[in-house]
Amino acid sequence: MFGGTWLRGARRGMVALLAGALMVGTAACGGAGGGAGSGNSGSSDKIVIGVQGPFTGDYAAEGKGFRQAIELVKEQVNAQGGVLGKQIEVIYEDDKGQPNESTLAAQKLASQGVVAVIGSYNSTATEAAQQVYADAGILHITPSSTATHLTEKGLKNFFRMAFLDSAQGQFAATLLVDKLGARKVALVHDSSTYAEGLAKWTRKFLEEKGAQVVFYDAINPQESDYSALLSNLKSTNPDAIYFTGYFSQAGLLVKQARDLGITVPIAAGNASNNDEVIKTAGAAAEGFITTTEPAPADLPYEEARQFVQDYKAKYNEDPVSIWTAMAADSFRVIVEAIKQTQSTDPAKLADYLRNDLEAFPGISGPITFDDKGDREGTVYAAYQVKDGKFTLFVPPQQ
């Protein structure tokens, strides 16, 4: 169960049912993972799942991937008869990747009878929605938010499909020191929850490997001119640069660094694993490296091969990024939990995911969650831009 709020919501739902009236507003669903899951879905021919993400704004490319992946797998499930004899309906809310918008999006979804929510994309937005879903007793899975502390709050309804910043920081440090030979590293973040967290973990592991962090500072993602920061960075003579922010700024940073005559390798974290970097930086993107979970096409699983094939057939393009596949996996484990529990009660679904789901054959690999809601295991790879395309640089490492 999800605590006192859940119990109070369930009692309210039972009273409403006994009275013969089903309340659909925020008051009902707010106590109401139970009302939303076992109440609305139980009396309807549809099961409703919510998705929140950045469908407009700086991260809209990833929001597009979320939507397309989930629409694909939803259509496949519904074509096979749905689940529990019901079709699945998906409701989308745009949070623009911004915390205030995220809270509003979460409140809207919580009022619409959803049994589970997938989202958001970035850690700052996901964190802003967490308590709304926890208070409403709604199952909540993020495909892509990697800030370590998100699963350290004791929220029993929250799960993460992506791997942790701490694991990526260790992989990045190994890449920078052992693969690129860097002894002096410049770290640049953007002060967001994700980016600053990854920068701190990377600094920790760099120092453990004996490397020196000669520059540590943040860009303002609302600005587009980073020349002052890059000039200061250049004066420290680093052997490599590691940027932990998002793809929307990575392309600008790379282009401006090269324009200033900075020639050392530039790498970035998994939020920069997006073709928008290449579009923005142009020729300056050549040689740019990202550390990330492997792209769907590089995963050695039949589920990944089939997903990429189906995605291309439907959309005539490759999946946007690994987060596209992880959004699909988030949807798939929700469906699996509904099937196995024969229920749409969010508390039962969460309990199943935490205690009974074992090595589920995901597109992104076997899926098992630990007691905190984190996905067990890790797998990372590195990609480098060659001839205008991301190509595998370091094969997947577990």
Side-chain angles (χ1 to χ4, degrees):
M1 306 297 277
F2 296 160
T5 304
W6 171 272
L7 292 170
R8 290 191 295 273
R11 293 189 188 104
R12 284 197 297 269
M14 290 183 68
V15 170
L17 286 170
L18 289 169
L22 178 64
M23 300 189 69
V24 184
T26 303
C29 293
S38 54
N40 291 358
S41 294
S43 60
S44 167
D45 61 350
K46 293 181 179 179
I47 294 171
V48 185
I49 295 173
V51 179
Q52 73 164 86
F55 303 119
T56 61
D58 284 349
Y59 313 140
E62 294 291 356
K64 173 188 172 185
F66 274 23
R67 184 188 292 268
Q68 292 189 166
I70 290 167
E71 283 298 299
L72 173 63
V73 292
K74 180 200 75 174
E75 289 172 8
Q76 291 172 339
V77 170
N78 284 343
Q80 295 171 3
V83 59
L84 304 189
K86 301 179 182 182
Q87 296 286 284
I88 297 177
E89 178 184 352
V90 178
I91 300 174
Y92 297 88
E93 289 291 344
D94 182 14
D95 64 23
K96 302 178 178 63
Q98 299 299 320
N100 57 332
E101 295 286 346
S102 175
T103 302
L104 292 173
Q107 290 169 344
K108 289 178 183 178
L109 287 173
S111 72
Q112 295 185 71
V114 298
V115 302
V117 171
I118 299 165
S120 185
Y121 164 64
N122 53 315
S123 295
T124 302
T126 295
E127 185 163 27
Q130 274 186 308
Q131 199 60 49
V132 175
Y133 297 130
D135 289 346
I138 295 171
L139 176 63
H140 181 196
I141 304 178
T142 175
S144 52
S145 298
T146 59
T148 304
H149 72 272
L150 294 177
T151 49
E152 295 176 346
K153 302 177 181 183
L155 300 177
K156 297 300 184 183
N157 67 317
F158 182 74
F159 296 81
R160 184 201 325 257
M161 190 60 65
F163 302 115
L164 301 178
D165 284 344
S166 52
Q168 185 180 188
Q170 187 170 26
F171 179 82
T174 299
L175 170 81
L176 292 163
V177 175
D178 297 346
K179 182 72 173 178
L180 301 181
R183 306 307 302 172
K184 299 187 297 180
V185 178
L187 293 175
V188 181
H189 61 91
D190 65 8
S191 297
S192 67
T193 301
Y194 154 75
E196 190 167 7
L198 178 55
K200 288 178 178 178
W201 283 111
T202 305
R203 178 171 61 183
K204 174 183 184 295
F205 289 115
L206 283 169
E207 291 172 347
E208 286 183 5
K209 293 181 74 68
Q212 181 183 5
V213 176
V214 295
F215 183 87
Y216 187 95
D217 204 351
I219 62 165
N220 181 344
Q222 304 305 314
E223 298 177 351
S224 58
D225 182 359
Y226 310 135
S227 57
L229 178 143
L230 287 168
S231 294
N232 291 334
L233 183 156
K234 185 179 180 181
S235 70
T236 65
N237 296 312
D239 299 321
I241 299 167
Y242 189 65
F243 175 60
T244 64
Y246 290 87
F247 64 90
S248 303
Q249 291 75 42
L252 290 172
L253 190 76
V254 170
K255 186 176 189 306
Q256 291 172 27
R258 297 311 187 210
D259 288 346
L260 281 172
I262 297 173
T263 59
V264 300
I266 303 176
N270 53 9
S272 294
N273 179 23
N274 191 294
D275 286 341
E276 292 296 318
V277 176
I278 301 171
K279 293 177 185 178
T280 301
E286 197 71 9
F288 173 74
I289 300 166
T290 65
T291 60
T292 181
E293 292 80 352
D298 294 320
L299 291 165
Y301 309 111
E302 173 59 24
E303 292 78 13
R305 186 200 64 76
Q306 189 65 52
F307 175 73
V308 171
Q309 178 180 307
D310 293 346
Y311 193 96
K312 285 183 175 180
K314 182 172 177 61
Y315 300 113
N316 197 32
E317 63 184 21
D318 288 322
V320 172
S321 70
I322 185 58
W323 312 126
T324 307
M326 288 193 173
D329 272 342
S330 299
F331 183 93
R332 292 172 73 240
V333 298
I334 292 168
V335 172
E336 178 69 7
I338 294 171
K339 285 180 180 178
Q340 294 301 325
T341 61
Q342 291 291 292
S343 174
T344 56
D345 181 334
K348 292 181 180 178
L349 303 182
D351 183 72
Y352 174 81
L353 292 179
R354 194 175 304 274
N355 297 310
D356 297 312
L357 188 75
E358 183 72 30
F360 176 78
I363 297 162
S364 56
I367 300 169
T368 303
F369 295 106
D370 66 16
D371 289 342
K372 294 194 296 183
D374 281 322
R375 184 172 175 176
E376 292 185 352
T378 61
V379 57
Y380 285 99
Y383 292 82
Q384 186 173 44
V385 177
K386 288 186 177 180
D387 299 324
K389 294 182 179 180
F390 279 112
T391 58
L392 194 61
F393 183 56
V394 176
Q397 309 282 318
Q398 296 196 8

